[in-house]
Amino acid sequence: MDWQEARDTLRQWREDNIRCSEEVVEIWQDVLSSYTHKVGDEKWLIYEQVCLASLDCHRLDIAQECLEVLDKQFPGSLRVRKLRAMEFEALERYDDALKLYACILQHDESNSVIYKRIISVLKAQNKIAEAVKELTEYLKKFMSDHEAWMELSDLYLMEQDYNKAAFCYEELILFNPHNHLYHQRYAEIQYTIGGLENMELARAYFAQSIKLNPRNMRSLYGFLLAASNVAASPKCSALKKKENLKYATWAAYKIETKYEDQKICDDSQVKSVHGMLGLLSLNAPVC
């Protein structure tokens, strides 16, 4: 690879928002580090890209080299300060990183990336309660950030606060009711909470996930388990029990059919799946 091809490769990865960190570091070491004088002003973007990649790969020597060049060229730049704070993160100097991020926010309160970096630092320190607080404040400013809602749900799950985790997915479903994964995840949380009402709710959302994406095997399994649990509950009426056994039978049939049609298992494995599904339907735990 010559320097022009190396430059074009890194440019394409930047435009496509692809990290490829190990490859970036390799291209920098083998080719571009000796030809920065030939790429014009694009070299500053390359330095930034290489700095991020080297931090990903924990090549702190290369990151430091890039930061020195960028700091000299752009003294006081907020983007360079962010990179410096990320270097502090890599060095586990978390207090220094948080101070620098706070300083950046004083100059740019709308910088959503910096809020997320602060949350990542708190997670790295296992300060989950503080991370939840910061992320909650962040979502007051950026309510439409779907990834942040998912992250908040994960944090609540780490704290075993399932009701609040479920609320996050309720918000996500409102934002995008056609995303089958949101329905699946919400159903899984309700299934985890347990109880007849929550199990019925889980079954309904697994069903919606299947409706949106019939190939979602995880939702099919979840639908089978939720219907089986409802049918096995002593609080379940005879009519509901009959109804849910039909649902469980249908789900088991669909799962078996998919295993057979896709030929992802040999005959002995298919038989094993048949047996397992039979046990799940007949011996479902009582909610």
Side-chain angles (χ1 to χ4, degrees):
M1 182 182 290
D2 60 25
W3 71 268
Q4 291 173 316
E5 188 180 353
R7 177 202 59 194
D8 293 343
T9 299
L10 294 192
R11 181 189 296 164
Q12 188 63 50
W13 287 344
R14 286 198 307 274
E15 291 174 355
D16 294 341
N17 198 25
I18 299 172
R19 283 288 255 264
C20 295
S21 299
E22 292 182 1
E23 292 82 354
V24 169
V25 171
E26 186 177 344
I27 289 172
W28 172 256
Q29 285 185 299
D30 295 346
V31 185
L32 270 180
S33 59
S34 303
Y35 293 92
T36 54
H37 59 286
K38 290 193 174 185
V39 299
D41 287 340
E42 189 176 353
K43 65 184 177 183
W44 309 120
L45 293 174
I46 292 173
Y47 273 118
E48 184 180 30
Q49 184 179 11
V50 172
C51 182
L52 285 169
S54 56
L55 288 173
D56 286 344
C57 300
H58 208 71
R59 288 298 307 272
L60 300 182
D61 53 331
I62 299 174
Q64 182 61 33
E65 174 191 334
C66 294
L67 277 167
E68 286 176 2
V69 174
L70 288 168
D71 211 14
K72 185 177 180 181
Q73 180 66 23
F74 305 103
S77 165
L78 295 182
R79 286 175 70 163
V80 178
R81 286 188 190 181
K82 184 192 79 171
L83 293 173
R84 181 68 70 183
M86 291 176 70
E87 182 193 29
F88 288 151
E89 285 187 60
L91 293 168
E92 298 185 2
R93 292 169 56 184
Y94 297 124
D95 290 340
D96 291 332
L98 288 172
K99 288 177 184 176
L100 200 44
Y101 286 139
C103 182
I104 295 171
L105 285 177
Q106 287 179 355
H107 294 86
D108 183 9
E109 292 183 1
S110 62
N111 194 325
S112 62
V113 173
I114 300 303
Y115 285 106
K116 291 181 178 181
R117 294 306 322 164
I118 291 171
I119 293 160
S120 72
V121 170
L122 294 172
K123 280 186 66 180
Q125 295 176 285
N126 202 32
K127 296 180 178 179
I128 304 303
E130 291 181 34
V132 167
K133 183 179 177 182
E134 286 291 334
L135 190 47
T136 303
E137 290 299 315
Y138 168 83
L139 281 166
K140 290 178 182 178
K141 300 181 179 73
F142 306 95
M143 290 190 66
S144 61
D145 190 332
H146 297 186
E147 291 182 356
W149 281 108
M150 287 191 283
E151 179 68 22
L152 183 58
S153 179
D154 288 343
L155 290 176
Y156 280 134
L157 289 173
M158 290 172 69
E159 294 288 282
Q160 297 184 349
D161 195 339
Y162 299 114
N163 288 315
K164 289 182 180 178
F167 170 79
C168 294
Y169 273 93
E170 288 171 2
E171 291 293 319
L172 286 167
I173 290 169
L174 286 174
F175 284 129
N176 186 359
H178 302 294
N179 188 320
H180 70 100
L181 294 175
Y182 293 164
H183 291 273
Q184 172 204 305
R185 193 68 177 134
Y186 181 71
E188 289 172 345
I189 295 171
Q190 293 296 339
Y191 184 93
T192 303
I193 295 172
L196 180 59
E197 289 184 7
N198 292 321
M199 205 62 67
E200 288 182 313
L201 193 59
R203 187 203 63 211
Y205 276 87
F206 279 129
Q208 182 63 19
S209 177
I210 296 165
K211 182 179 178 180
L212 293 169
N213 180 12
R215 295 177 297 175
N216 189 329
M217 290 291 286
R218 191 178 179 103
S219 289
L220 271 172
Y221 275 115
F223 184 78
L224 168 64
L225 291 170
S228 300
N229 270 273
V230 172
S233 173
K235 299 178 184 178
C236 184
S237 66
L239 181 60
K240 278 190 176 181
K241 181 173 183 178
K242 184 178 179 181
E243 208 173 60
N244 281 277
L245 284 174
K246 285 183 179 179
Y247 293 150
T249 302
W250 174 85
Y253 170 75
K254 285 291 184 181
I255 294 169
E256 290 174 9
T257 303
K258 287 186 181 296
Y259 272 99
E260 290 170 351
D261 290 349
Q262 294 175 14
K263 297 181 179 178
I264 56 178
C265 301
D266 58 33
D267 290 341
S268 62
Q269 289 173 316
V270 170
K271 288 179 181 177
S272 177
V273 169
H274 289 180
M276 177 191 69
L277 292 173
L279 287 172
L280 287 174
S281 299
L282 293 173
N283 299 329
V286 176
C287 50

